[in-house]
Amino acid sequence: MRIGFIGLGRMGTGMASRLCQAGHEVIVYNRSAQRMQPLLDLGARAAMTIGEACAADVVFTMLADDKALEEVAMGAAGMIEHLAADAVHVSCSTVSVALSARLAHAHGQKRQGFVAAPVFGRPDAAASGKLFMVAAGKREFVDKVMPLFEILGQRTFVVSDAPEKANLVKLSGNFMIATVIESLGEAMSLVEKGGVDRHQYLELLTSTLFNVPIYKNYGGMIADRNFEPAGFAAHLGQKDMRLVLSAAEELKVPLPFANILRDRFLNLAAHGGENLDWSAIGSLASKDSAVEA
Amino acid sequence: MRIGFIGLGRMGTGMASRLCQAGHEVIVYNRSAQRMQPLLDLGARAAMTIGEACAADVVFTMLADDKALEEVAMGAAGMIEHLAADAVHVSCSTVSVALSARLAHAHGQKRQGFVAAPVFGRPDAAASGKLFMVAAGKREFVDKVMPLFEILGQRTFVVSDAPEKANLVKLSGNFMIATVIESLGEAMSLVEKGGVDRHQYLELLTSTLFNVPIYKNYGGMIADRNFEPAGFAAHLGQKDMRLVLSAAEELKVPLPFANILRDRFLNLAAHGGENLDWSAIGSLASKDSAVEA
Amino acid sequence: MRIGFIGLGRMGTGMASRLCQAGHEVIVYNRSAQRMQPLLDLGARAAMTIGEACAADVVFTMLADDKALEEVAMGAAGMIEHLAADAVHVSCSTVSVALSARLAHAHGQKRQGFVAAPVFGRPDAAASGKLFMVAAGKREFVDKVMPLFEILGQRTFVVSDAPEKANLVKLSGNFMIATVIESLGEAMSLVEKGGVDRHQYLELLTSTLFNVPIYKNYGGMIADRNFEPAGFAAHLGQKDMRLVLSAAEELKVPLPFANILRDRFLNLAAHGGENLDWSAIGSLASKDSAVEA
Amino acid sequence: MRIGFIGLGRMGTGMASRLCQAGHEVIVYNRSAQRMQPLLDLGARAAMTIGEACAADVVFTMLADDKALEEVAMGAAGMIEHLAADAVHVSCSTVSVALSARLAHAHGQKRQGFVAAPVFGRPDAAASGKLFMVAAGKREFVDKVMPLFEILGQRTFVVSDAPEKANLVKLSGNFMIATVIESLGEAMSLVEKGGVDRHQYLELLTSTLFNVPIYKNYGGMIADRNFEPAGFAAHLGQKDMRLVLSAAEELKVPLPFANILRDRFLNLAAHGGENLDWSAIGSLASKDSAVEA
C-alpha cells in the first residue's frame, strides 16, 4: 500500500518510521523540510508539496492543531483538492470535533474516505508501535486502514462510524488525564501544608489505589516540582481544554471540573508557563496556598 | 497481647475477626450488642461497657464519625477515663484532623498511647487482611501495634509521629477517589451525549491509561447507573468532603475540585440520595446535561 | 446627515425610530422586509440591499450575533465592499472582541471609519433615547457620530480608540449582570430552604444595600419563578458568556464566576430553556437544592 | 427600660451610644474594661461582670464570633444563668445559624426571651442610628424590643418567629456583598488586561446599572488597590463564608459562588491578608491573570 504522511513532529516521525520499517512505501511531507531526513534514511520518499504526498492510497496527517490541519486539508492545493476518490485521509491530530465533522463532509463530497484516528501515547510509544488508536469512520475505510493501525498501535478502539466521535473521545481522554494532574496537585498541597512529605504521600497513593503510570509520572513531576522538559506542553493542554469545552458547549453539557482546568491553564500561561509540561498546572494549588512560604 | 475492639460495623467486624483468627485475645464492644455474636463465635469475649473493653494492652476503635468516636473516647465512662497508662488506643475511623489532634492530646495527658490508623479498603479487604493502613503516632506506640497491623493489612504506611497526619492523608485519599468519580461522570456524560456508547468508552479508558480497579468499579457503577447496594454510602462521602474542606480551611489551602465534590454530595442528598453508593455523584453531570432526554 | 440602519429587531427598531424622529434622513435595511414598515411610517426609506443602505455618511448595524454581523459587513455585497471612504460604520451589536478587531482592520484597509458602540438598555430605553452607549474608535470617527449618540442615549462612555475595547466592556457588563442573577438565585434558595419567604427576603435586599432596578427586576423574576416573556433570551446570555470567556482566554484571565455562569446557561439550554429570560439561570440553585420538594 | 449591653467593639459602641443618647438606662460590659469609658461619659453604668449587665429588661450582645457569644451566653456565670425570666436577650452578632438555634432553645428553657437581630451597616451607621435591623424571634419579645430597634436603625425587617432565620438572612446578605466584590474583581481584571482603564470602567458601571454605594465603595478599593484600613476585615469575611456554607450544608443547598468566595478568602489568608479589608479578595483575579506583569 502506498502511504502519504504529512506532519513530522515527534509523534508523526515515530509513526511514519513504523510504517517504513514495516515495508510500506511511504511519501512524507513536512513544512520544514529538514525534519524529513530521518524518514528518508529509512527509505521514505520526500514530497515537495502536499499534492505529491496525496498520490497515495492512504494519507496520514499528524499536525499540531486545527489551524494546521485545516490548511493542509482544506487550503488551496490541499488534500481535498488532490486526494483520489476512494483514497483515505487518516487524521491522527488532536483537533476539534467541529473540524473533524467538517472534514468528513468535505472528503465525502469528493468521494474520498476519512477516518479520524487520534492516539493516546507519547513519542516513545509512537516509535515503538505501542500507541492506543481511537478510530471512527465509515466501516469500509476503517477496514482498509486497520492493518496500518496494527503497525502503529497496541490496540485500536473503533468507537463510531462518524469520524468526529473519535475526536470527542480523545479530547475527553485528555480531560481525564488533566483531572488526575489537578487532583494530585490539590491533595499534595493539602498534605504537604499539613506537614506530610509529598514524595512519601505520592508513594502511598501510587502503591495502593492509584498504581498506574499516569499517577506515578505526573505525580512525580508535581512532587519534584520539575516541569521541564515538556512531554506535552501546557499550551497544548490549554488548547485541548478549550476544545473539550467547545464540544461540551455544542452538546450542552456542563463540566465543572473542565472549567477549573481551563482556568488553571490560563493562570499558568499568564505567568509564562505555556511551554512547561502540562502537569505544571499541578503546582498551582501549592501556589494558591503558599505552601513554600 | 490483649486487644479491645470497639465498633463492629462491616469494617470493624472484618478487622476484629482477623485479630481473633490470629490467636489474639480479643474483647469486643458494640453499642448494638447483637453485632458482637459473630466475634464471640470466633472466640472473642463480649464487653458490656466501654470500660470493660479498655482492660487491654491495645484498644481499636472503628466508628462511623467524629460524634461516635468522641463519645466513646471522651465521654463519661469513656476510654480516656478507663484506659491504663501505656495502653494504646488505635483509632481506625475516618474522622476529622481536629478530633484526632484533640484525642492525641487527651490521651497524652493520661500517659496513654494514641495511634491514628485509618485504612483504605472495603469490608472484604478488612476480612481478608488486605487493607492498606495509614498510621501515625509516637514511634514507641506505633512499634507496639505494628504486628497487629500486619495481621490487618497488606501494607502499613507510617506517615508521621503526629497522629492527626494519618487522618489528613486518609481524608485526602478519599478526596482523590471522589475526583475519579466526578471526572468519570463528566467525561461519560460528554461522550454519551455526543453519541458514543458509555460502556464502550469506559472499556477504552480502563484498558488503557486507567487500568485500575478504582476506575473500573466506579466507572462500571456509573455506566450501569446502578448505585445500590452502597459499598460506601453517599452521606459518608459527604462527611469526608466536609472534613477535607475543614482541614483545608484550617491549613488555608484552597481546593477547587473539593468544592465541586461538596456541592455534588449536597445536590445528591437534597434529592434523597444519601444512602446510595457515593459513586452516585457520578450521575449528576448526566442530570445537568439531560443526557437521557 | 444621511444615515443607514441595518438590523431592525426590537433594539434596532427603537434606535432607528429615534434617529428618524430627530429629523435625520434614514435608510433602513432588514433581512425580513416586513419589519421595515414601522420605520417607513416615520419617514425612513427602505433599502432593498445592504449596498443601498450603505449609501450614507454613517451606517449603524444592530444584529443578533457575530455570524449575522460578519455576513452583513464582510460578505459578498456587504458593507466593506459598498461603504464610501470616510463613511463610518457604527456597530452596536453585542459581538466578540475578535470580530470587532477584524472589522476595524478591514474597514481601515478601505479608509472607512469604524466605531464600536454597544449599548446597555432594554428595548424601551432604545425607543426613548435612554440607552447607555459604550463607544470606542478613532477620535475623528467618534466625534463625527457623537451627535447621533446623543439622540440614542442618555450618556456615552468613550473607552478607547481601539473599537474592540468597547465590545470587551459591553461583554464584561453583561457578565456583571449575570453574576447578579446567579447570586440572587443562590441566596434565595438558601434562605427559602431555611424557611424565609423569598419575596420578603428580596424586599429586604432591594430596599437596603441593593436598591437598584437590576436587583429588583431580576430578583422579582426569580422570586416569581416567571421567566416569560424573555426581555433578553437565555441563548443570548449563553452567547455572551461564551464571548466573555473567549476574550478572557485570549487575554489569559481566569474567571471562576464566568465559568459557573457558563455552566448554568448550558444546564438551562439542555433542559429546553434557551428562550426563557436569561434570569432563568437564577432558578437552577433552587433546582439543585430541591427547594420545592 | 433598663438595658444591658455586652460587647463594645466599634459596632457595639455606636449602638450603645445611641441607646444612652435616647435616654435609656444602660449598663455596659466589655471584656477589656477601658472600652467602656466613652459610654460612661454618656451616662451608662459599668458592669464588672456579665451577671451585672444581665440585671436588665433587655440585654444586647454584639460580639465577634460564635466563640465569644457562646462564652458570654452559655458559659459559667453567663447570661443564661443570670437573666431574669421574661428578660430578653437581643443578639446582634453575626454568628452561625446553629448557635442561634441553640441559644433560642437554652433561653426558652429558662423562660427567657431571645431575639436575633443582626444588622447591616458600618460603624458610622451604628453611631447614627442608620443600621438596617434583621430581626427574628417570638412576637412578644420582638414587640418588646422594637422601640429600641427604632433608635438603632433606619428600618427593621422581621423575618420569622424563629430567631436563627435572622442569622441566615444576615449571612446570606454578606454572601451577596462578597459576590459583588468578586464580580468586580473579575470584570476589572478582564478589561484592564484588555487595555481599558479600570477607574474609568468602574465609573461607567457605577453611573449606569450599578449606581449604589456597595459597588462604588468596594469597586473603588479594588481600583485603587488599597485595602487598608479594613472597614471589615478579611478574616471576618472568611468566617462568614464558612458560616454560610455551614448553613447551606445543613440545609443541603449547593452554592457554587460561595465556594469560590471561600477559596478566595483562604488564598488571601494563606498570603497574609487576613487583616486587610475583605474587598482584597477582589485583587486575586488580577493576581491570577498577572495583570501587572
Side-chain angles (χ1 to χ4, degrees):
Chain A
M1 192 145 36
R2 213 164 156 201
I3 301 169
F5 205 108
I6 299 173
L8 297 173
R10 286 194 294 162
M11 291 298 291
T13 295
M15 293 167 74
S17 299
R18 288 287 298 175
L19 296 170
C20 288
Q21 288 157 347
H24 286 286
E25 184 186 348
V26 181
I27 318 170
V28 296
Y29 175 81
N30 195 66
R31 205 170 43 178
S32 310
Q34 80 274 17
R35 290 197 63 93
M36 294 195 274
Q37 193 55 53
L39 279 303
L40 305 188
D41 296 345
L42 291 172
R45 282 200 299 120
M48 291 302 110
T49 64
I50 292 168
E52 281 179 47
C54 286
D57 305 299
V58 175
V59 182
F60 284 82
T61 50
M62 189 48 149
L63 298 156
D65 55 22
D66 273 37
K67 188 159 169 287
L69 178 57
E70 189 170 2
E71 280 173 19
V72 161
M74 307 182 95
M79 296 175 71
I80 302 280
E81 192 174 319
H82 284 288
L83 215 56
D86 293 323
V88 182
H89 173 192
V90 180
S91 165
C92 297
S93 318
T94 300
V95 292
S96 71
V97 173
L99 176 57
S100 206
R102 283 170 53 216
L103 282 173
H105 181 74
H107 281 300
Q109 296 282 93
K110 298 292 227 58
R111 298 176 181 276
Q112 300 157 352
F114 182 64
V115 173
V119 305
F120 285 104
R122 296 211 163 205
D124 59 332
S128 58
K130 298 289 189 199
L131 295 171
F132 292 106
M133 318 291 297
V134 181
K138 284 204 186 131
R139 187 66 202 224
E140 58 182 295
F141 301 126
V142 172
D143 285 349
K144 185 172 176 183
V145 298
M146 189 61 88
L148 304 177
F149 290 169
E150 279 160 19
I151 295 165
L152 296 171
Q154 59 177 294
R155 186 163 168 192
T156 298
F157 298 86
V158 181
V159 297
S160 174
D161 55 5
E164 68 272 18
K165 307 302 184 200
N167 300 94
L168 182 64
V169 167
K170 165 64 183 171
L171 290 169
S172 79
N174 279 12
F175 158 74
M176 291 293 297
I177 300 171
T179 65
V180 169
I181 296 170
E182 171 65 18
S183 63
L184 283 165
E186 293 189 19
M188 280 168 142
S189 296
L190 179 63
V191 300
E192 182 171 22
K193 205 163 179 194
V196 175
D197 178 80
R198 64 182 185 267
H199 283 95
Q200 191 191 4
Y201 175 69
L202 180 64
E203 158 70 10
L204 183 158
L205 290 180
T206 58
S207 58
T208 58
L209 300 174
F210 300 97
N211 190 356
V212 271
I214 214 162
Y215 279 87
K216 289 178 187 172
N217 296 342
Y218 288 123
M221 296 178 87
I222 297 168
D224 293 344
R225 291 178 183 163
N226 183 4
F227 304 107
E228 292 175 294
F232 183 69
H235 66 87
L236 294 174
Q238 182 183 343
K239 177 205 71 169
D240 288 354
M241 291 312 105
R242 180 174 60 240
L243 297 183
V244 166
L245 286 165
S246 177
E249 175 147 355
E250 193 63 36
L251 293 166
K252 297 172 190 167
V253 180
L255 294 180
F257 269 19
N259 285 332
I260 286 169
L261 295 169
R262 173 188 180 277
D263 271 2
R264 291 298 202 195
F265 282 111
L266 292 182
N267 186 324
L268 190 67
H271 292 84
E274 295 96 327
N275 294 316
L276 298 176
D277 189 79
W278 71 327
S279 56
I281 63 165
S283 66
L284 295 177
S286 291
K287 187 176 168 188
D288 283 352
S289 56
V291 169
E292 356 256 330
Chain B
M1 191 146 33
R2 209 163 159 201
I3 300 169
F5 204 108
I6 299 174
L8 297 172
R10 287 194 293 162
M11 291 298 292
T13 296
M15 293 167 72
S17 300
R18 288 286 299 175
L19 296 169
C20 289
Q21 287 157 347
H24 286 285
E25 183 185 350
V26 181
I27 318 169
V28 295
Y29 175 81
N30 194 66
R31 205 170 44 177
S32 311
Q34 80 274 18
R35 290 198 62 94
M36 293 196 273
Q37 193 55 53
L39 279 303
L40 306 189
D41 296 344
L42 291 171
R45 283 201 298 120
M48 291 304 109
T49 64
I50 291 168
E52 281 178 49
C54 286
D57 305 298
V58 176
V59 183
F60 283 82
T61 49
M62 188 49 148
L63 298 156
D65 54 22
D66 273 38
K67 188 160 170 287
L69 178 58
E70 190 170 2
E71 279 173 18
V72 161
M74 308 182 94
M79 295 174 70
I80 302 280
E81 192 174 319
H82 285 287
L83 216 55
D86 294 323
V88 182
H89 173 191
V90 180
S91 165
C92 297
S93 317
T94 300
V95 292
S96 71
V97 173
L99 175 57
S100 206
R102 284 169 53 215
L103 282 173
H105 182 74
H107 282 298
Q109 296 281 94
K110 297 294 226 57
R111 298 176 183 275
Q112 300 157 350
F114 182 64
V115 173
V119 304
F120 285 105
R122 296 210 163 206
D124 58 333
S128 58
K130 299 287 190 200
L131 296 171
F132 292 107
M133 317 292 298
V134 181
K138 283 203 186 133
R139 187 67 200 224
E140 58 181 295
F141 301 126
V142 172
D143 285 349
K144 183 172 179 184
V145 298
M146 189 61 88
L148 304 178
F149 290 169
E150 280 160 19
I151 295 165
L152 297 172
Q154 58 178 295
R155 187 164 167 191
T156 298
F157 299 86
V158 181
V159 297
S160 174
D161 55 6
E164 68 272 19
K165 307 301 185 202
N167 299 95
L168 182 64
V169 167
K170 165 64 182 171
L171 290 169
S172 80
N174 279 11
F175 159 73
M176 289 294 295
I177 300 171
T179 66
V180 169
I181 295 170
E182 172 66 16
S183 63
L184 284 166
E186 294 190 19
M188 280 168 141
S189 297
L190 178 64
V191 300
E192 182 172 21
K193 205 165 178 193
V196 174
D197 179 80
R198 64 183 185 265
H199 283 94
Q200 190 190 5
Y201 175 69
L202 180 65
E203 158 69 12
L204 183 158
L205 290 179
T206 57
S207 57
T208 58
L209 300 174
F210 300 97
N211 190 355
V212 271
I214 213 162
Y215 279 87
K216 289 178 186 171
N217 296 343
Y218 288 125
M221 295 179 87
I222 297 168
D224 293 343
R225 292 177 183 163
N226 183 4
F227 304 108
E228 294 174 292
F232 183 69
H235 66 87
L236 294 174
Q238 182 183 343
K239 178 205 70 172
D240 288 355
M241 292 312 105
R242 179 174 61 241
L243 297 183
V244 166
L245 287 164
S246 176
E249 175 146 353
E250 194 62 35
L251 293 166
K252 297 175 190 165
V253 180
L255 294 180
F257 269 18
N259 285 331
I260 287 170
L261 295 169
R262 173 188 180 278
D263 271 2
R264 290 299 202 195
F265 283 111
L266 292 182
N267 185 324
L268 190 68
H271 292 84
E274 295 97 328
N275 293 316
L276 298 176
D277 189 79
W278 70 329
S279 57
I281 63 164
S283 68
L284 295 177
S286 292
K287 188 177 170 186
D288 283 352
S289 56
V291 169
E292 357 256 330
Chain C
M1 191 145 34
R2 210 164 158 202
I3 300 170
F5 204 108
I6 298 174
L8 297 173
R10 286 194 294 163
M11 292 297 292
T13 295
M15 293 166 73
S17 300
R18 289 285 299 173
L19 295 170
C20 289
Q21 287 156 348
H24 286 286
E25 183 186 349
V26 181
I27 318 170
V28 295
Y29 175 81
N30 195 65
R31 205 169 44 176
S32 311
Q34 81 273 20
R35 290 197 63 92
M36 294 196 273
Q37 193 56 51
L39 279 304
L40 306 189
D41 296 346
L42 292 172
R45 282 200 299 120
M48 292 301 110
T49 64
I50 292 168
E52 282 179 48
C54 286
D57 304 299
V58 175
V59 183
F60 284 83
T61 49
M62 189 48 147
L63 298 156
D65 54 23
D66 273 38
K67 190 160 168 285
L69 178 57
E70 190 170 2
E71 279 173 21
V72 161
M74 308 182 94
M79 296 175 70
I80 302 281
E81 192 176 317
H82 284 288
L83 215 57
D86 293 323
V88 182
H89 174 191
V90 180
S91 165
C92 297
S93 317
T94 299
V95 292
S96 71
V97 173
L99 175 58
S100 207
R102 283 169 54 214
L103 282 174
H105 181 74
H107 281 298
Q109 296 281 92
K110 300 292 228 60
R111 298 176 183 276
Q112 300 156 351
F114 181 64
V115 173
V119 304
F120 285 105
R122 296 210 161 206
D124 58 331
S128 58
K130 297 289 189 198
L131 297 171
F132 292 107
M133 318 292 297
V134 180
K138 284 202 185 134
R139 188 66 203 223
E140 59 181 294
F141 301 126
V142 172
D143 285 348
K144 184 173 177 182
V145 298
M146 190 61 90
L148 304 178
F149 290 169
E150 280 160 19
I151 295 164
L152 297 171
Q154 57 177 295
R155 186 163 167 192
T156 298
F157 299 86
V158 181
V159 296
S160 175
D161 55 7
E164 67 273 18
K165 307 302 186 203
N167 300 94
L168 182 64
V169 167
K170 165 65 182 171
L171 290 169
S172 80
N174 279 12
F175 158 73
M176 290 293 297
I177 301 171
T179 66
V180 169
I181 295 172
E182 172 65 18
S183 63
L184 284 165
E186 294 190 18
M188 281 169 143
S189 296
L190 179 64
V191 300
E192 182 172 23
K193 204 163 179 194
V196 175
D197 179 81
R198 64 183 184 266
H199 283 94
Q200 190 191 5
Y201 175 69
L202 180 65
E203 159 68 12
L204 182 158
L205 290 179
T206 57
S207 57
T208 57
L209 300 174
F210 301 97
N211 190 356
V212 271
I214 213 162
Y215 279 87
K216 290 179 186 171
N217 296 342
Y218 288 124
M221 295 179 87
I222 297 169
D224 293 343
R225 290 178 184 164
N226 183 4
F227 304 107
E228 293 174 293
F232 183 67
H235 66 88
L236 294 174
Q238 183 183 342
K239 179 204 70 171
D240 287 355
M241 291 311 106
R242 180 173 60 240
L243 297 183
V244 166
L245 286 165
S246 176
E249 175 147 355
E250 194 63 35
L251 293 166
K252 298 175 189 165
V253 180
L255 293 180
F257 269 18
N259 285 331
I260 286 169
L261 295 169
R262 173 188 180 278
D263 271 2
R264 290 298 202 195
F265 282 111
L266 292 183
N267 186 325
L268 190 67
H271 293 84
E274 295 97 327
N275 294 316
L276 298 175
D277 190 77
W278 72 327
S279 56
I281 63 164
S283 67
L284 295 178
S286 292
K287 188 176 168 187
D288 283 352
S289 57
V291 169
E292 356 257 328
Chain D
M1 192 145 35
R2 212 166 158 201
I3 300 170
F5 204 107
I6 298 173
L8 297 172
R10 287 194 293 162
M11 292 297 293
T13 295
M15 294 166 71
S17 299
R18 289 285 299 175
L19 295 169
C20 289
Q21 287 157 346
H24 287 286
E25 183 185 350
V26 181
I27 317 168
V28 295
Y29 175 81
N30 194 66
R31 205 171 44 177
S32 310
Q34 81 273 20
R35 291 198 62 92
M36 294 195 275
Q37 193 56 52
L39 280 303
L40 306 189
D41 296 344
L42 291 172
R45 282 201 298 121
M48 292 301 112
T49 64
I50 292 168
E52 282 180 48
C54 286
D57 305 298
V58 175
V59 183
F60 283 82
T61 50
M62 187 49 146
L63 298 156
D65 54 24
D66 272 38
K67 189 159 169 287
L69 178 56
E70 190 170 2
E71 280 174 19
V72 162
M74 308 182 95
M79 296 175 70
I80 302 279
E81 192 175 318
H82 285 289
L83 216 56
D86 294 323
V88 182
H89 173 192
V90 180
S91 164
C92 298
S93 316
T94 299
V95 292
S96 71
V97 172
L99 176 58
S100 207
R102 283 170 52 215
L103 283 173
H105 181 75
H107 280 299
Q109 296 280 92
K110 298 294 226 57
R111 298 176 183 275
Q112 300 157 351
F114 181 63
V115 173
V119 305
F120 286 104
R122 296 210 162 208
D124 59 332
S128 58
K130 299 288 189 197
L131 296 171
F132 292 106
M133 318 291 297
V134 180
K138 284 203 185 134
R139 188 65 201 226
E140 59 182 293
F141 300 126
V142 172
D143 286 349
K144 183 172 178 183
V145 298
M146 190 61 89
L148 304 177
F149 290 168
E150 279 160 20
I151 295 165
L152 297 171
Q154 58 178 294
R155 186 164 167 191
T156 298
F157 299 86
V158 181
V159 296
S160 175
D161 55 6
E164 69 272 18
K165 307 300 185 203
N167 299 94
L168 182 64
V169 167
K170 165 64 181 171
L171 289 169
S172 80
N174 279 12
F175 158 73
M176 290 293 296
I177 300 172
T179 66
V180 169
I181 295 170
E182 171 66 18
S183 63
L184 283 166
E186 294 190 19
M188 281 169 142
S189 297
L190 179 64
V191 301
E192 181 172 22
K193 205 163 178 196
V196 174
D197 179 81
R198 65 183 184 265
H199 283 94
Q200 190 191 4
Y201 175 69
L202 180 64
E203 158 70 11
L204 183 158
L205 290 179
T206 57
S207 57
T208 57
L209 300 174
F210 301 97
N211 191 356
V212 271
I214 213 162
Y215 279 87
K216 289 179 186 170
N217 296 343
Y218 288 124
M221 296 178 87
I222 297 169
D224 293 344
R225 292 177 182 164
N226 183 3
F227 304 108
E228 292 174 292
F232 183 69
H235 66 87
L236 294 175
Q238 182 183 343
K239 178 206 71 172
D240 288 354
M241 292 310 106
R242 181 173 60 242
L243 297 183
V244 167
L245 286 164
S246 177
E249 175 147 355
E250 194 61 38
L251 293 166
K252 297 175 190 166
V253 181
L255 293 180
F257 269 19
N259 285 331
I260 286 169
L261 295 168
R262 173 189 180 279
D263 271 2
R264 291 298 202 195
F265 282 111
L266 292 182
N267 186 324
L268 191 68
H271 293 85
E274 296 96 327
N275 293 316
L276 298 176
D277 189 79
W278 70 328
S279 56
I281 63 164
S283 67
L284 295 178
S286 291
K287 187 176 170 188
D288 284 351
S289 57
V291 169
E292 358 257 329

